[in-house]
Amino acid sequence: MTLISAALLAAVIMAAFIFGRGLAFSRGGAFSASGVSGRAHSLPAYHGYFAAWAVGVATILAAFIGWMLRDTIGFEVVAILVIVTAGAGFVVCHQLINPDFRARNFVETFVKMALFLCSGVAVLTTFGIVLSLVFESLRFFEQVPLLDFLTGLQWSPQTALREDQAGQSGAFGAVPIFTGTFMIMGVAMFVAAPIGLLIAVYLSEYASKCTRALVKPIIEILAGVPTVVYGFFALLTVGPAIRGFAESFGFSVPTQSAIAAGSVMGVMIIPFISSLSDDVINAVPQTLRDGSYALGATRSETMTKVIFPAALPGIIGALLLAISRAIGETMIVVMAAGRAANLTGNPFEAVTTVTVQIVSLLTGDQEFDSAKTLAAFALGLVLFVITLALNVVALLIVRKYRERYE
Amino acid sequence: MEANAIQDSGLFRPVTPGGEVIKMSEKRAHALAVEPKFKCRDVRVFYGATEALHGIDMDIENTGVTALIGPSGCGKSTFLRVFNRMNDTIPNARVTGDILMDGENIYDKKIDPVLLRARVGMVFQKPNPFPKSIYDNVAYGPRIHGLATKKNDLNEIVETSLQKAGLWNEVKDRLKDPGTSLSGGQQQRLVIARAIAVSPEVILMDEPASALDPIATAKLEELIDELKEKFCIVIVTHSMAQAARVSQKTAFFHLGDLVEYDDTEVIFKNPKDQRTQDYITGRTG
């Protein structure tokens, strides 16, 4: 049924195009067969497009309105409404099309509006997500004060589901979760930033073409490994290895720890940093390299004193992208970082992150109006604000340097 | 710069067994002055398997401006980049033959191209100031070569270099501004100041005015005229009028060959080769 309607609609639009173009040809005496005109305002094809747009939009609108009202007015009336509208479209076109009609301007306006609507979809979706986050969070903050949420040092979101359940008071202090998130991000960047940048420097300035063609794709494979694979790698290999290593020194370290999750996450984001920075360094004009070499600078002097500063805005962009990736990453931390909301500065302890908590709050049997579930929205909102702030800072830095350098 | 340092230190001054410094005879001093800066014998440059220059024999004078002219793709820029071994930075490029600078083969294994380039500066077609302040642009060379140990010395080098490049008065109040904020002509003079700052013996210029407007070009040519008193200058240009205005010697290249090399006046008024005549009268190129 839907398929047939769509095919019918396409046929009507096609017919409108042929109808409009044919009218233009027959009415505009000055149209030549090749479409070049001496007198008419628009080429015949534009009249065709105009007719197609006008009939198409009118028909779709009529069908949509009819579909909404189908229960009150009945299906037959809807069909008649659509057919009449399409016919009216043809009649209007028949009246409008003549050599003086500015069909091209109408078509251009139509297209502009269509483009605007497409970008509007993306913007509206973003607004929708933000608004839903905000409203659900507001409901959460009715139950838990904002200040308690942002400054509380204890996180134990288990609330009593039944009156007779005891012992689960529910504490929603988000500080331990955010320190956990940032600690893991810090460990990840500590691993990924130097390695990624040095890889980029090597690939862009030192590696032969042959090496580069081989090494770059291999590193980019790292980005294609599913995060769940990284996750069990962190849990089953890296975590125990770190624990064993620490035990040989007489320390006791849990298998799930910030350092295990963070270092594996660091490996995961290496290709982001190396690949983006490599592109940025390559984009630095060759003339700057030549200028530096011609002054008797060595490769390393040229790299550190000319190319790196010139590429810095892009490199900062790459780093911030990697950071937001690290903050939003879920699977590795769910598996390897633990779930206990410890407030600690020690990366060898188990910590938890915002994403892990959202996962555990929303999986399993939930009531959708309990503070426990709504807390997920509040966490999401704060996470969103943080990544937004990061992006804004990145933009500001990039803009500042761009003004200085170009 | 290095040569000066050695002379000043007196280490290599010829001395009699008695310790008396031998005074250079006037004849010898004169001979040094007319001794060419560069002697090129059978210089060939290959890009992969393609031979871009087919055995160039040419001497570059110690003083004055030598212009290299010729149609696009004739090898003049390639030849210019032989003198500071910039062709080394191009993968697949290979240079054969002898290029002697003050009698020393600059393609010898003992020669470090990095040190050579401190003695032979270069200015490129497009102004290429580094993304740094005006001051840091000029101070770049002295810093990497350790020419100034004290802040004041560096300030002085920057100031004199900018003065020699005729840019000091325009930028002295805005040394902290980015080099890229200057106009095209100013940028090109900044780049020249940057090259001068390491006190090279030779300055190579690769079509330095091709991205500039006529007024900036005139200023640049004036500057070249002043600089030739202190530096040996080799300039590649596609403007014959410019070659005629600024140079004392002109070499005409065609399809990787050196066709004719003589005093600029002779080349433009009385060329011996038909190809040169065709080019300068605008029939080819």
Side-chain angles (χ1 to χ4, degrees):
Chain A
M1 184 64 201
T2 326
L3 207 67
I4 295 171
S5 322
L8 273 177
L9 183 68
V12 169
I13 291 175
M14 196 91 93
F17 175 77
I18 293 167
F19 172 74
R21 201 178 54 158
L23 265 185
F25 267 123
S26 63
R27 288 192 184 160
F31 288 127
S32 65
S34 63
V36 177
S37 79
R39 194 171 67 85
H41 176 270
S42 304
L43 294 178
Y46 279 111
H47 292 276
Y49 286 125
F50 170 78
W53 272 98
V55 172
V57 170
T59 312
I60 291 170
L61 267 180
F64 182 71
I65 293 169
W67 186 251
M68 305 291 277
L69 302 173
R70 68 189 185 281
D71 291 335
T72 40
I73 58 177
F75 187 76
E76 292 78 8
V77 185
V78 172
I80 291 168
L81 176 74
V82 171
I83 291 168
V84 168
T85 315
F90 277 92
V91 173
V92 169
C93 293
H94 188 264
Q95 296 297 319
L96 281 176
I97 288 174
N98 68 62
D100 290 331
F101 179 60
R102 302 185 161 232
R104 177 170 54 79
N105 302 29
F106 276 102
V107 171
E108 279 166 358
T109 315
F110 278 142
V111 171
K112 218 193 292 175
M113 273 160 56
L115 296 178
F116 176 76
L117 283 179
C118 288
S119 59
V121 169
V123 174
L124 285 181
T125 313
T126 313
F127 270 110
I129 291 174
V130 173
L131 285 182
S132 84
L133 275 180
V134 167
F135 283 119
E136 298 296 336
S137 303
L138 283 180
R139 282 177 63 197
F140 172 73
F141 290 128
E142 277 166 14
Q143 299 178 32
V144 178
L146 177 64
L147 209 63
D148 287 2
F149 177 70
L150 289 181
T151 59
L153 300 181
Q154 210 203 336
W155 178 267
S156 57
Q158 296 305 328
T159 45
L161 288 176
R162 296 187 310 274
E163 292 295 323
D164 56 336
Q165 262 183 336
Q168 302 283 26
S169 56
F172 294 94
V175 171
I177 307 181
F178 281 99
T179 52
T181 303
F182 286 117
M183 188 195 291
I184 288 182
M185 180 206 86
V187 173
M189 292 308 287
F190 185 76
V191 171
I195 295 180
L197 284 180
L198 292 179
I199 288 175
V201 167
Y202 171 72
L203 282 183
S204 58
E205 298 296 315
Y206 292 92
S208 68
K209 256 191 190 149
C210 201
T211 321
R212 187 164 186 267
L214 195 70
V215 170
K216 207 177 173 190
I218 292 179
I219 292 173
E220 280 168 2
I221 288 177
L222 278 181
V225 176
T227 54
V228 67
V229 175
Y230 281 113
F232 66 69
F233 180 64
L235 180 65
L236 300 179
T237 311
V238 178
I242 290 173
R243 187 185 57 188
F245 185 70
E247 271 170 359
S248 68
F249 288 95
F251 296 107
S252 153
V253 168
T255 310
Q256 291 187 321
S257 64
I259 194 147
S263 52
V264 171
M265 191 192 285
V267 172
M268 183 194 78
I269 56 182
I270 282 174
F272 282 84
I273 298 177
S274 70
S275 214
L276 283 171
S277 307
D278 175 50
D279 291 345
V280 170
I281 292 174
N282 264 324
V284 172
Q286 183 63 32
T287 55
L288 287 185
R289 291 186 180 86
D290 285 348
S292 177
Y293 292 142
L295 284 167
T298 62
R299 262 186 180 183
S300 64
E301 284 163 345
T302 305
M303 184 65 221
T304 50
K305 295 188 173 137
V306 175
I307 298 174
F308 199 77
L312 197 60
I315 288 173
I316 290 173
L319 291 179
L320 285 165
L321 199 73
I323 287 179
S324 47
R325 177 78 207 243
I327 290 179
E329 170 51 38
T330 313
M331 214 55 226
I332 295 174
V333 282
V334 165
M335 294 172 85
R339 295 199 175 191
N342 289 328
L343 180 59
T344 173
N346 180 1
F348 290 97
E349 279 182 44
V351 294
T352 193
T353 69
V354 177
T355 48
V356 171
Q357 285 310 312
I358 293 178
V359 169
S360 62
L361 289 175
L362 294 184
T363 45
D365 294 335
Q366 304 299 341
E367 285 177 88
F368 262 86
D369 52 356
S370 76
K372 184 189 165 196
T373 315
L374 291 172
F377 289 96
L379 286 177
L381 182 68
V382 178
L383 197 60
F384 173 77
V385 169
I386 289 173
T387 33
L388 186 73
L390 272 178
N391 283 345
V392 170
V393 169
L395 271 180
L396 285 179
I397 293 173
V398 169
R399 192 175 303 156
K400 185 179 163 234
Y401 279 102
R402 193 167 283 159
E403 275 169 5
R404 249 183 81 192
Y405 291 156
E406 275 168 19
Chain B
M1 151 59 215
E2 227 167 83
N4 288 342
I6 288 167
Q7 260 177 24
D8 291 346
S9 69
L11 272 178
F12 291 87
R13 212 170 284 165
V15 192
T16 61
E20 192 188 332
V21 176
I22 299 173
K23 262 198 151 182
M24 218 182 258
S25 71
E26 263 183 37
K27 199 176 160 194
R28 165 97 178 113
H30 182 69
L32 256 186
V34 295
E35 190 80 356
K37 188 77 190 169
F38 289 103
K39 272 188 194 167
C40 304
R41 294 294 173 267
D42 194 31
V43 172
R44 290 165 196 275
V45 178
F46 300 86
Y47 293 120
T50 330
E51 193 181 90
L53 282 177
H54 315 304
I56 308 292
D57 296 317
M58 184 175 165
D59 290 349
I60 305 272
E61 301 270 317
N62 209 338
T63 54
V65 179
T66 305
L68 313 179
I69 62 169
S72 296
C74 68
K76 54 192 193 298
S77 287
T78 299
F79 187 57
L80 189 75
R81 292 164 74 97
V82 159
F83 296 116
N84 64 347
R85 293 187 58 171
M86 273 306 271
N87 287 324
D88 291 18
T89 63
I90 302 172
N92 297 331
R94 197 157 51 85
V95 180
T96 66
D98 294 328
I99 300 101
L100 305 179
M101 179 179 179
D102 297 331
E104 196 177 15
N105 190 347
I106 58 173
Y107 279 81
D108 194 288
K109 281 203 178 68
K110 283 180 295 184
I111 299 283
D112 185 348
V114 164
L115 297 178
L116 171 73
R117 290 183 199 134
R119 294 167 66 195
V120 184
M122 187 165 192
V123 174
F124 295 85
Q125 197 165 349
K126 229 181 112 210
N128 56 351
F130 299 138
K132 298 173 182 295
S133 70
I134 294 171
Y135 182 94
D136 288 338
N137 259 286
V138 183
Y140 182 80
R143 275 184 182 141
I144 60 175
H145 295 295
L147 299 187
T149 44
K150 275 178 256 153
K151 184 88 185 131
N152 276 349
D153 297 350
L154 192 61
N155 289 345
E156 202 180 307
I157 292 177
V158 170
E159 182 175 340
T160 49
S161 305
L162 283 168
Q163 268 165 351
K164 280 185 204 157
L167 195 60
W168 176 248
N169 286 333
E170 290 158 66
V171 301
K172 63 180 177 211
D173 300 323
R174 44 191 283 219
L175 291 173
K176 291 273 168 276
D177 285 9
T180 42
S181 68
L182 298 173
S183 73
Q186 288 173 322
Q187 286 188 13
Q188 200 62 304
R189 279 180 285 146
L190 174 65
V191 171
I192 291 174
R194 190 172 75 186
I196 293 172
V198 288
S199 345
E201 299 154 39
V202 183
I203 299 177
L204 309 173
M205 299 187 176
D206 191 356
E207 301 192 12
S210 61
L212 305 183
D213 65 63
I215 293 170
T217 303
K219 270 193 178 164
L220 185 76
E221 287 177 3
E222 230 170 82
L223 173 61
I224 292 173
D225 224 41
E226 285 166 24
L227 292 177
K228 74 165 192 277
E229 306 297 330
K230 296 194 185 74
F231 305 95
C232 161
I233 293 177
V234 186
I235 180 172
V236 163
T237 173
H238 58 215
S239 153
M240 284 171 284
Q242 187 172 62
R245 283 193 299 266
V246 301
S247 72
Q248 284 73 52
K249 287 275 200 175
T250 297
F252 173 66
F253 283 76
H254 189 67
L255 299 175
D257 283 311
L258 174 60
V259 174
E260 199 167 345
Y261 178 42
D262 213 324
D263 290 342
T264 301
E265 212 164 301
V266 178
I267 291 277
F268 281 97
K269 287 200 178 132
N270 196 10
K272 290 175 194 72
D273 196 286
Q274 185 61 37
R275 287 171 292 178
T276 317
Q277 193 165 7
D278 286 350
Y279 182 71
I280 60 168
T281 53
R283 244 172 284 170
T284 59

